[in-house]
């Protein structure tokens, strides 16, 4: 690193304010930005030197050291300039964002950015909510960018500096015989940066854990095992990487009376022996209130009646399942004298009839 005049490079006076320095750097960076000058070595060099100058002059601490001792003095702080574009974009990422309005070109994407992890949340819902859908709110603990330091981890007004141990590379190399061995720097854990004045809010991590409220729209027809995916509500990405997604796993609680088979709702309704024999109109509960069904004459126990469209809405496609009513014939108990008499009479009558038509006895 030869001696350069950072003020000259940025075209500002030694007394320039932070705002003036930023403005000037912005102008030079705009002109010489590698996205606008592909393959232009001269512009590339200009862009790098200006970035280096800005890196020093924007930081009051570094600027003071530079003013007093020049570049030699900065070396004592571990400052090494930038190795390449990726370094520049990772250092000034947010600035380029407001320079260019959107993203910071492919360079920043490559700079060790990582997408955030997906999150999982298990949610119990009632049988009725599964049928009709529901809008609800859940709260998930989630790490979000620290608002105090904007995620840099450094106390406001200060900046992370290049790690002196690895000179900002994140890797430490040492020679062993013929070999050079690279290991992750243990001072900065491979980040290449150290924070000498950590943000008090996040203790230098750049993120804080907070409960976040998230509105959920549960569509009608969901079942145990259904998943809702809420894009972008997972953990935050790192270094400009995209956030992960939130997956809500649904569990439908059982109902006291109904059960579920696919999109059908199943229930059992007891009917009396005379109702089964003579036929009857009976009342059955549905999710939409009571409905009547006609049980035909001579209905057997276990027989099934369907009410079309009274089941769950189909999640995929149109329409709804059915309400499947299984009738169970109850054997009468605790008969009165009169009832017993009537039943005996009934039995007598039945026997006479059977003698005429029952062929099954021949098998014995
Ligand atoms: Zn913070
Ligand atoms: Zn390091």
């Amino acid at each position: 690193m030869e001696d350069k005049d950072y003020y000259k490079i940025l075209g500002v006076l030694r007394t320039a304010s932070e705002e003036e320095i930023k403005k000037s750097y912005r102008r030079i960076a705009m002109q010489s930005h590698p996205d606008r000058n592909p393959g232009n070595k001269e512009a590339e060099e200009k862009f790098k030197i200006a970035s280096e100058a800005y890196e020093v002059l924007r930081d009051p601490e570094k600027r003071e050291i530079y003013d007093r001792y020049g570049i030699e003095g900065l070396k004592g702080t571990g400052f090494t300039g930038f190795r390449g574009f990726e370094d520049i974009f990772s250092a000034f990422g947010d600035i380029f964002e407001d320079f260019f309005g959107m993203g910071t070109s492919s360079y920043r994407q490559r700079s060790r950015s990582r997408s955030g992890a997906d999150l999982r949340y298990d949610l119990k819902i009632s049988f009725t909510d599964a049928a009709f859908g529901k809008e609800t709110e859940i709260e998930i603990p989630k790490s979000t960018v620290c608002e105090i330091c904007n995620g840099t981890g450094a106390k406001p007004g200060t900046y992370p500096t290049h790690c002196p141990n690895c000179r900002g590379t994140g890797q430490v190399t040492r020679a062993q015989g013929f070999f050079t061995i690279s290991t992750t720097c243990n001072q900065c854990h491979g980040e290449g940066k150290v924070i000498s004045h950590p943000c008090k809010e996040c203790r230098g991590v750049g993120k804080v854990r907070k409960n976040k409220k998230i509105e959920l729209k549960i569509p009608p027809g969901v079942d145990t095992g259904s998943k809702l995916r809420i894009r972008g509500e997972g953990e935050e990405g790192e270094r400009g990487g995209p956030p992960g997604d939130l997956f809500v796993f649904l569990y439908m609680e059982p109902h006291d009376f109904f059960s579920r088979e696919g999109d059908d709702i199943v229930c059992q309704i007891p009917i009396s022996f005379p109702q089964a024999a003579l036929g009857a109109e009976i009342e059955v509960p549905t999710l939409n209130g009571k409905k009547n069904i006609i049980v035909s004459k001579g209905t057997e126990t276990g027989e099934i009646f369907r009410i079309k469209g009274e089941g769950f809405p189909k999640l995929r496609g149109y329409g709804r399942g059915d309400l499947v009513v299984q009738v169970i014939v109850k054997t009468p108990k605790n008969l009165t004298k009169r009832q017993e008499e009537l039943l005996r009479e009934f039995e007598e009558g039945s026997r006479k009839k059977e003698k005429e038509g029952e062929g099954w006895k021949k098998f014995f």
Side-chain angles (χ1 to χ4, degrees):
M1 221 191 299
E2 75 278 74
D3 219 21
K4 304 162 211 157
D5 188 340
Y6 287 151
Y7 291 97
K8 246 190 207 162
I9 289 165
L10 290 183
V12 293
L13 296 172
R14 294 186 79 84
T15 52
S17 68
E18 269 182 53
E19 205 37 55
E20 285 173 303
I21 288 167
K22 188 176 175 179
K23 243 167 109 176
S24 190
Y25 171 61
R26 175 194 291 258
R27 187 177 43 78
I28 295 167
M30 288 275 271
Q31 286 164 358
S32 57
H33 194 283
D35 275 0
R36 297 193 166 180
N37 305 274
N40 181 341
K41 283 274 164 233
E42 207 184 306
E44 196 177 301
E45 208 41 48
K46 206 172 163 192
F47 183 72
K48 278 186 191 161
I49 291 174
S51 302
E52 194 184 294
Y54 179 59
E55 150 97 312
V56 172
L57 298 186
R58 70 167 184 161
D59 179 350
E61 272 179 48
K62 276 191 196 153
R63 187 176 173 184
E64 203 192 340
I65 292 169
Y66 174 72
D67 284 349
R68 278 201 203 170
Y69 308 110
I71 287 178
E72 272 311 305
L74 289 171
K75 281 183 185 165
T77 70
F79 179 74
T80 55
F82 294 107
R83 281 169 303 138
F85 289 138
E86 291 191 12
D87 248 3
I88 297 172
F89 289 116
S90 84
F92 303 146
D94 35 349
I95 290 166
F96 287 114
E97 237 155 59
D98 54 59
F99 278 10
F100 293 97
M102 44 177 277
T104 52
S105 84
S106 48
Y107 290 101
R108 196 170 158 221
Q109 287 296 314
R110 258 189 271 134
S111 68
R112 290 188 286 169
S113 79
R114 213 179 301 152
S115 20
D118 292 336
L119 289 176
R120 173 184 175 143
Y121 186 91
D122 293 336
L123 182 66
K124 268 188 190 162
I125 54 164
S126 72
F127 194 88
T128 319
D129 287 343
F132 293 108
K134 194 188 183 186
E135 282 183 33
T136 184
E137 203 178 61
I138 57 170
E139 243 181 59
I140 52 162
K142 180 177 161 175
S143 56
T144 46
V145 172
C146 172
E147 284 170 5
I148 305 296
C149 63
N150 281 319
T152 63
K155 202 167 113 186
T158 70
Y159 298 90
T161 50
H162 276 59
C163 170
N165 190 41
C166 60
R167 316 186 123 237
T169 60
Q171 297 280 313
V172 183
T173 42
R174 72 195 148 85
Q176 194 167 63
F178 294 113
F179 304 103
T180 337
I181 296 171
S182 277
T183 47
T184 302
C185 171
N186 60 12
Q187 212 156 330
C188 62
H189 309 288
E191 297 290 308
K193 294 207 175 67
V194 286
I195 295 165
S196 30
H197 304 283
C199 163
K200 285 212 175 75
E201 180 73 14
C202 62
R203 277 171 285 148
V205 182
K207 292 177 183 175
V208 284
R209 278 201 101 67
K210 264 189 189 163
N211 275 353
K212 188 175 180 194
K213 283 185 178 155
I214 290 168
E215 311 244 311
L216 276 190
K217 247 189 157 164
I218 298 167
V222 294
D223 198 352
T224 293
S226 297
K227 270 181 285 183
L228 303 180
R229 178 185 198 161
I230 296 100
R231 282 183 200 278
E233 290 294 358
E235 296 282 17
E236 296 288 341
E238 278 177 40
R239 293 180 209 88
D245 296 334
L246 168 67
F247 288 90
V248 179
F249 285 63
L250 298 176
Y251 295 89
M252 189 186 70
E253 290 177 316
H255 194 275
D256 287 340
F257 182 68
F258 296 120
S259 58
R260 178 172 184 169
E261 268 172 33
D263 293 322
D264 292 338
I265 295 176
V266 180
C267 67
Q268 289 185 328
I269 302 277
I271 58 171
S272 71
F273 169 65
Q275 278 177 321
L278 304 170
E281 183 170 6
I282 59 165
E283 208 173 51
V284 294
T286 75
L287 289 177
N288 297 305
K290 286 172 180 159
K291 289 262 153 81
N292 286 348
I293 57 169
I294 306 285
V295 172
S296 39
K297 247 185 190 182
T299 290
E300 304 271 0
T301 193
E303 235 171 82
I304 277 168
F305 296 87
R306 278 181 180 266
I307 306 182
K308 285 257 169 256
E310 287 294 338
F312 282 87
K314 294 191 196 304
L315 257 190
R316 286 174 197 86
Y318 299 100
R320 309 174 74 97
D322 301 334
L323 176 68
V324 179
V325 181
Q326 186 179 38
V327 295
I328 305 294
V329 180
K330 289 280 174 201
T331 306
K333 290 189 179 76
N334 304 321
L335 300 173
T336 62
K337 265 234 145 69
R338 173 81 185 124
Q339 281 173 324
E340 246 188 81
E341 270 170 34
L342 284 172
L343 275 181
R344 281 188 206 290
E345 221 171 279
F346 168 78
E347 177 64 3
E348 285 291 304
S350 305
R351 276 216 193 127
K352 273 179 202 155
K353 252 187 165 178
E354 270 169 23
K355 270 179 193 154
E356 294 153 21
E358 294 278 334
W360 59 272
K361 283 178 179 157
K362 280 189 254 166
F363 291 111
F364 294 96

